[in-house]
Amino acid sequence: ETGVTQSPTHLIKTRGQQVTLRCSSQSGHNTVSWYQQALGQGPQFIFQYYREEENGRGNFPPRFSGLQFPNYSSELNVNALELDDSALYLCASSLMLDSGNTIYFGEGSWLTVV
Amino acid sequence: SQQGEEDPQALSIQEGENATMNCSYKTSINNLQWYRQNSGRGLVHLILIRSNEREKHSGRLRVTLDTSKKSSSLLITASRAADTASYFCATVTNAGKSTFGDGTTLTVKP
């Protein structure tokens, strides 16, 4: 158990729809990152939030957006879903005292776009 | 391309044998972390090695880091069937950004 929980665990959406994925960080962690993992590939960095501000973004279009709340929980929103958005979405939390901290992952949310 | 790239892509060994996986990266790092992922599950943190460290041990795991070659290796000794999983390395920059490779799929046959 990493203390990072994600919901929902599985969901199916139709192309063009919007989706919101949620993540509760490990207690005391102030940094959350989101990753997309397609089948057979490694996690791809989407973005990171530190104290409610975006703190870095990977190579994802603006229709991928996020929020971090005062309790450090987080949401990932994806608009105008495309078939290629089908993947495992992973949330990870860490404590940004310095960058030498362990990153803890949740079990992920499986998104299927049909 | 990915910052961290694991090698080999797939590895199949017998129970009891040692398994070695390698990771190469391109830019400066603060630390490098190894993770395990069972099929369809989240990533489990195995070990973190900082850029000023050369070797670290944790149980049956041994990780080395050579910053001059920008490479790391993960050795699993006396492998067990339960070690069957995908293994990923993640490089973390001084700004706290992490980048993963595409992993090594390890199969340990009983």
Side-chain angles (χ1 to χ4, degrees), chain A residues 3-45:
Chain A
V4 180
T5 58
Q6 292 186 244
S7 63
T9 54
H10 294 81
L11 72 166
I12 300 174
K13 289 286 189 177
T14 304
R15 192 170 48 183
Q17 284 187 317
Q18 180 265 345
V19 69
T20 297
L21 307 178
R22 295 178 175 84
C23 173
S24 292
S25 304
Q26 188 180 104
S27 177
H29 283 184
N30 56 16
T31 303
V32 67
S33 303
W34 285 91
Y35 298 80
Q36 179 195 67
Q37 186 178 23
L39 218 54
Q41 296 182 16
Q44 299 277 335
F45 175 72

Side-chain angles (χ1 to χ4, degrees), chain B residues 18-38:
Chain B
N18 295 341
T20 300
M21 289 158 264
N22 302 296
C23 171
S24 60
Y25 58 94
K26 297 187 174 84
T27 61
S28 294
I29 63 171
N30 176 281
N31 67 80
L32 187 147
Q33 303 184 27
W34 283 92
Y35 289 83
R36 185 185 75 199
Q37 185 178 39
N38 289 80

Side-chain angles (χ1 to χ4, degrees), chain B residues 58-74:
Chain B
S58 176
R60 294 184 295 114
L61 306 180
R62 173 178 168 253
V63 167
T64 62
L65 179 64
D66 187 335
T67 52
S68 66
K69 295 181 180 176
K70 291 187 166 57
S71 68
S72 174
S73 68
L74 170 67

Side-chain angles (χ1 to χ4, degrees), chain A residues 2 33 35 37 40-45 48 55-57 88 90 96 98-108 110, chain B residues 2 30-31 33 35 37 39-45 48 50 88 90 92-103:
Chain A
T2 64
S33 303
Y35 298 80
Q37 186 178 23
Q41 296 182 16
Q44 299 277 335
F45 175 72
Q48 181 184 80
N55 183 42
R57 188 178 183 94
L88 177 66
L90 294 162
M96 183 77 86
D98 60 58
S99 51
N101 286 288
T102 299
I103 305 165
Y104 294 93
F105 282 83
E107 288 292 323
W110 279 103
Chain B
Q2 295 281 50
N30 176 281
N31 67 80
Q33 303 184 27
Y35 289 83
Q37 185 178 39
S39 182
R41 305 292 300 276
L43 280 79
V44 175
H45 181 262
L48 179 156
R50 297 178 190 272
F88 295 89
V92 182
T93 67
N94 286 330
K97 305 299 184 292
S98 56
T99 308
F100 286 78
D102 283 336

Side-chain angles (χ1 to χ4, degrees), chain A residues 18-22 34 46-47 49 57 61-67 69 74-81 89:
Chain A
Q18 180 265 345
V19 69
T20 297
L21 307 178
R22 295 178 175 84
W34 285 91
I46 303 175
F47 43 57
Y49 279 82
R57 188 178 183 94
R63 61 189 183 85
F64 285 78
S65 63
L67 281 173
F69 300 101
S74 176
E75 285 183 356
L76 164 65
N77 298 290
V78 188
N79 294 323
L81 284 166
Y89 288 84

